[in-house]
């Protein structure tokens, strides 16, 4: 029934991932993994050093920030950041408007750190005046944790404004910038913070397996002994690099070498402004096209980040999410279920090795699949 459409099947025979990461990577990023290296191989260590050296450029942190990599997914980096920077005597204000904020709270509770929560709905950013009032009223709060783009909904939180009030109140900001890093602007000269956590498999478009935390060097230097685990101790991991340029424990070598290739392609695209512009174009095409098909976005335009877009499930008898999902996947496009509490939704990502052409092709497939689903529902009703 559905013919003459460009399927999303890639050059390696895989469907395109319209998801928030892991995501579709370039062929050259995948090909970079076709070698073996020893973890002490000088060639590998040089590649690793280049990766660590270049990441602070993305947030204007050269000279003041160091990269501490952490084996594992992004959450390993977030847990390492929180447990290394917030000392046993500290207290952390968590700004929560989605699942990743809740995850940070769980991490700190397991680590037995004192927390205060300021939570807003999943479609509502924190009120910066309220953040300032909470800080002004509680002198015990040492740190503030914020999520840059809350991937749960795709909302863009006002990170620069949050940074300003945290600095004005003399506290320390820790940022989960996982799904925004490299795509959305973040300048540490303007947004004062102690650490930024991100990972290999989001907007830099590498494969999963490496988290990293960009740390203000003078703040990191004061964290010795804070960590609650051996593995996730950023201070210890950093000292090992300073001493011998090596990881304490086996690094995900293939991931790092392909991340090096992904970073090269990122800078060739114009760094954050270039990458961000492509994702904004993808998001604009997607949102306009989906609205044209009758779908409604959760967020108004001014709160929408160009990373992932949340759509309401149509509340109509022809629409069945699992069927929709399966049929899109068969035609080469993998979308993402919703994870909201405020509404029944699904999500479509704009990141990865995708451009406006891919988004238009995906929309043509979505149009065909929804038309077909409506027609079948009608035929069943007759
Ligand atoms: C992806 C993501 C993480 C990390 O998730 P992992 O599954 O551990 O990689 C953390 N925070 C945000 C905002 C994310 O989008």
């Amino acid at each position: 029934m559905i013919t003459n459409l460009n399927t999303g099947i890639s050059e390696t025979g895989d469907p395109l991932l319209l998801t928030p990461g892991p995501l579709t990577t370039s062929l050259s990023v995948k090909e970079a993994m076709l070698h073996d290296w020893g973890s002490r191989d000088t060639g590998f260590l040089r590649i690793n050093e280049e990766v660590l050296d270049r990441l602070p450029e993305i947030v204007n942190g050269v000279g003041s920030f160091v990269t501490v990599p952490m084996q594992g997914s992004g959450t390993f980096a977030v847990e390492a950041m929180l447990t290394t920077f917030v000392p046993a005597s500290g207290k952390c204000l968590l700004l929560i408007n989605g699942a990743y904020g809740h995850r940070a709270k769980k991490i700190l509770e397991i680590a037995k750190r004192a927390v205060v929560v300021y939570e807003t709905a999943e479609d509502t950013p924190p009120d910066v005046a309220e953040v300032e009032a909470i800080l002004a009223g509680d002198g015990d709060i040492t740190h503030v944790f914020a999520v840059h783009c809350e991937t749960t909904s795709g909302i863009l939180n006002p990170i620069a404004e949050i940074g300003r009030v945290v600095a004005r109140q003399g506290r320390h900001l820790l940022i989960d910038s996982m799904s925004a890093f490299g795509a959305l602007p973040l300048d540490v000269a303007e947004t004062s913070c102690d650490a930024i956590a991100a990972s290999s498999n989001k907007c830099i478009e590498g494969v999963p397996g490496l988290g990293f935390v960009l740390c203000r060097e003078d703040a990191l230097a004061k964290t010795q002994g804070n960590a609650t685990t051996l593995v996730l101790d950023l201070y210890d991991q950093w000292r090992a690099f300073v001493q011998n340029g090596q990881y304490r424990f086996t690094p995900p070598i293939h991931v790092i070498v392909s991340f090096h290739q992904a970073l090269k392609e990122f800078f060739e695209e114009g760094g954050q402004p270039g990458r961000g512009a492509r994702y904004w174009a993808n998001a604009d095409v997607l949102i306009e096209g989906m609205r044209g098909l009758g779908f409604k976005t959760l967020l108004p335009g001014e709160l929408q980040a160009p990373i992932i877009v949340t759509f309401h499930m149509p509340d109509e008898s022809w629409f069945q999410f699992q069927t929709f999902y399966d049929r899109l996947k068969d035609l080469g496009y993998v979308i993402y279920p919703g994870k909201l509490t405020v509404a029944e939704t699904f999500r479509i990502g704009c990141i990865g090795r995708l451009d406006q052409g891919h988004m238009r092709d995906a929309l043509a497939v979505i149009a065909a699949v929804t038309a077909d689903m409506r027609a079948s529902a009608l035929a069943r009703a007759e």
Side-chain angles (χ1 to χ4, degrees), residues 20-22 72-78 99-101 103 145-152 176-180 197-202 208-211 307-308 336 339 347 351:
S73 81
T75 305
F76 290 62
V78 173
Y100 294 101
R103 190 176 293 178
F145 169 86
V147 181
H148 192 175
C149 167
E150 199 11 295
T151 323
T152 310
D176 171 352
S177 185
M178 204 71 53
S179 62
S199 75
S200 55
N201 66 289
K202 298 228 167 150
L210 187 76
I307 306 301
I308 189 163
Y336 214 57
K339 124 161 137 175
R347 290 176 284 175
I351 62 179

Side-chain angles (χ1 to χ4, degrees), residues 202-220:
K202 298 228 167 150
C203 302
I204 307 296
E205 300 184 355
V207 301
L210 187 76
F212 54 87
V213 184
L214 304 192
C215 306
R216 186 177 292 281
E217 190 169 358
D218 56 15
L220 180 63

